[in-house]
Amino acid sequence: ELEGEVVGGNMSGHDPKSLAKEFNASQAIRPDVKKPVWHNCLRLPEGDKVEKDKWVEIADAYMKKMGFSDNHQRVYVLHDDKEGQHIHIVASRIGLDGQLFLGKNENLESTQKISELEKEFGLRPTTEASYVPGSDKLKVVRPERSRASKNEQEKALRTKTEVPRYQLQKLIDQA
């Protein structure tokens, strides 16, 4: 029933039923934890692909950077669809040693770690994280795709030219 393929992790199961059974073992260690399972997805830009073993390396490095230890059960499921090759990472927040992964500012932290991995593994960049000037706080820097202002649109109509920012965006896309 899985549309994806289990390509890695540290669990022996390869189907939902056996994986759930394994995850229940770590949940039994800490029944007080309300949300024992953690999930994230790593996606390549559309058209990019990497081999399965490289996905496992990337996912292992990502989990380490995020703060998971080898004691945290996890499975990596690869999907290769038209929107882009990606893996789902499903992990127990409860380590087999009882340690709990708490995570904080996970989305921002994850964006920064993904940016680091893209550089380390020579992948095409997606969204980058950077530091706010004069601070140790992170912020996500997204590619600018702002719409033209009303004044820019009116000027383009009057002069019968394309809005300069759109011309620039096209040039950047081509580059």
Side-chain angles (χ1 to χ4, degrees):
E1 292 180 15
L2 284 176
E3 293 178 21
E5 176 185 359
V6 173
V7 293
N10 60 5
M11 300 175 74
S12 60
H14 279 77
D15 63 89
K17 195 176 252 184
S18 61
L19 290 166
K21 195 172 186 177
E22 282 185 73
F23 277 123
N24 285 337
S26 62
Q27 187 177 11
I29 296 169
R30 294 282 305 268
D32 58 310
V33 176
K34 301 285 188 243
K35 294 182 179 180
V37 178
W38 181 90
H39 172 263
N40 205 344
C41 181
L42 304 178
R43 180 180 296 276
L44 295 175
E46 189 174 348
D48 290 6
K49 293 182 184 288
V50 298
E51 297 295 322
K52 294 174 194 174
D53 57 338
K54 188 168 183 179
W55 265 122
V56 173
E57 282 182 63
I58 293 166
D60 283 341
Y62 174 76
M63 294 301 282
K64 186 174 184 177
K65 285 177 180 284
M66 288 299 292
F68 284 87
S69 75
D70 290 337
N71 288 319
H72 291 92
Q73 296 169 305
R74 68 193 84 172
V75 63
Y76 311 142
V77 180
L78 175 67
H79 290 264
D80 199 352
D81 54 37
K82 63 181 180 178
E83 289 83 32
Q85 195 180 52
H86 63 280
I87 58 166
H88 293 269
I89 300 173
V90 182
S92 175
R93 292 181 53 238
I94 305 163
L96 296 174
D97 58 358
Q99 292 292 324
L100 183 63
F101 171 78
L102 295 172
K104 55 184 176 184
N105 298 320
E106 280 185 59
N107 289 337
L108 189 56
E109 189 74 18
S110 179
T111 302
Q112 179 194 22
K113 302 307 179 199
I114 289 169
S115 181
E116 292 171 9
L117 289 169
E118 288 168 342
K119 290 173 186 156
E120 288 173 29
F121 286 90
L123 303 171
R124 188 160 45 121
T126 51
T127 301
E128 291 193 25
S130 64
Y131 289 93
V132 175
S135 167
D136 61 352
K137 292 184 181 180
L138 285 170
K139 72 173 186 172
V140 176
V141 178
R142 300 197 184 274
E144 283 297 322
R145 285 282 174 176
S146 60
R147 294 179 9 164
S149 70
K150 185 178 178 184
N151 288 342
E152 288 174 310
Q153 291 174 1
E154 289 173 355
K155 182 179 179 184
L157 282 172
R158 278 192 320 272
T159 59
K160 296 183 178 156
T161 60
E162 188 175 20
V163 175
R165 86 172 59 220
Y166 294 160
Q167 291 174 356
L168 187 56
Q169 285 174 354
K170 284 180 184 176
L171 289 171
I172 291 170
D173 287 344
Q174 289 172 355

